[in-house]
Structure formats: structure tokens, C-alpha cells
Amino acid sequence: MTSGQREGGCSCGEVRYRLTSDPLFVHCCHCLNCQRQTGSAFVINLLIETDLVQVFAGAPQPIPVPRDDGSAQTIFRCPTCQVAVFSLYGHSGFRFVRAGTLDDPAGVAPDVHIFTRSKVPWVTLPESVPAFEVYYDAKTLWPPESLDRRDAVLAARA
Ligand SMILES: [Zn+2]
Ligand SMILES: [Zn+2]
């Protein structure tokens, strides 16, 4: 992962955001929900503290989207062009920023591949990146500083 600030936004330019830190971790998710939501084979999400996502133009609109397990995921979309810029799963202290909306999508690479049980067969994963049929244990995979940052958010909102 390269370090420093990253910026991104929607297709029409109304919504612009800045990430003021490196992400905690980068997921490439091959689950059926992500495939349906994106209309693609997988999604790449930058996990980062909500406080470190500065929206400096526009107001992404939260849309509750049903998931296969009966829960809802909140997807934040540009109110005009409706492009999804980030989402919220469960804990409001974290955002899952869609890497494809970054100005430089190639500036991040997945730290882990998850839900590979529903990966499309024509996508071949690199040997060098951990991959899991379903999910994984952050404690064994995340860098210590990311775990510390995560714990700080969880403690603040407990
Ligand atoms: Zn837009
Ligand atoms: Zn997914």
C-alpha cells in the first residue's frame, strides 16, 4: 500500500471525498451481494474510519440495501448520478470506500480476497494475497497499527 491522502468521487463530480489516512485494510469481496450491487465480478473496498473520510463536495445519500442474510447495508450514493462511493456495514465508525471511485484506483491493491466460494471461475487470484472461502480473522491478518486504530474506534463508541 502506498501512503498518503487519496481523493475520489462520483461520475458527475458532485460528490468528492478525501481519505486522510491509509486504509485499515483492503478487501476484494467476491460475495453474491457485492456482485449484484456492482453488476460486476467483485468489489474492492477500502476499510477506513468514518472520521477519516472527508466529504468536501456534495452530500452522499444513504440508501438501505437488502442483503441475502436479511440484514441491510447502507450504500452512500451521489444524489444526482447515483454512483455508490462508500457503504456502511453494521458499525457506523467505519466506512467501506469503493476503490473504483478513487481518482487513482490502481493506487490500492487488495490485502485479502473474501467469499471466494462465489468467485466467478474466470478470475484467477494471485498466490501472494490471502484468500478465504468466506471470511477471516482480522487479528491474524491486519497489521498491528490497523488493529490499534480499529480498537480505538470500537472503544470510543462502546
Ligand atoms: Zn454524481
Ligand atoms: Zn461482498
Side-chain angles (χ1 to χ4, degrees):
M1 249 179 323
T2 57
S3 80
Q5 297 197 345
R6 294 177 173 82
E7 291 189 5
C10 66
S11 290
C12 75
E14 181 174 322
V15 169
R16 294 288 300 162
Y17 66 82
R18 178 182 301 119
L19 308 181
T20 61
S21 168
D22 281 332
L24 297 160
F25 216 60
V26 180
H27 283 178
C28 183
C29 186
H30 302 262
C31 84
L32 295 172
N33 289 294
C34 288
Q35 290 174 354
R36 189 181 304 114
Q37 288 169 11
T38 60
S40 186
F42 52 77
V43 72
I44 302 165
N45 281 322
L46 281 71
L47 282 62
I48 190 167
E49 297 93 324
T50 300
D51 293 348
L52 303 184
V53 181
Q54 291 180 350
V55 176
F56 60 90
Q61 188 182 2
I63 310 283
V65 177
R67 295 172 57 81
D68 291 344
D69 64 2
S71 67
Q73 169 189 351
T74 304
I75 300 182
F76 289 80
R77 295 181 175 278
C78 169
T80 299
C81 71
Q82 297 291 323
V83 163
V85 286
F86 42 77
S87 58
L88 154 64
Y89 298 81
H91 197 291
S92 63
F94 303 97
R95 289 284 181 271
F96 284 55
V97 178
R98 297 198 171 190
T101 66
L102 292 169
D103 294 341
D104 178 19
V108 292
D111 294 312
V112 67
H113 291 270
I114 56 175
F115 289 95
T116 61
R117 67 183 180 189
S118 48
K119 179 182 77 61
V120 294
W122 47 264
V123 168
T124 305
L125 301 182
E127 295 283 335
S128 54
V129 180
F132 296 86
E133 284 276 303
V134 182
Y135 209 70
Y136 67 98
D137 180 12
K139 286 195 181 68
T140 61
L141 223 54
W142 284 24
E145 55 272 25
S146 291
L147 288 170
D148 288 348
R149 284 167 56 187
R150 182 192 69 165
D151 290 347
V153 172
L154 296 178
R157 313 232 171 184

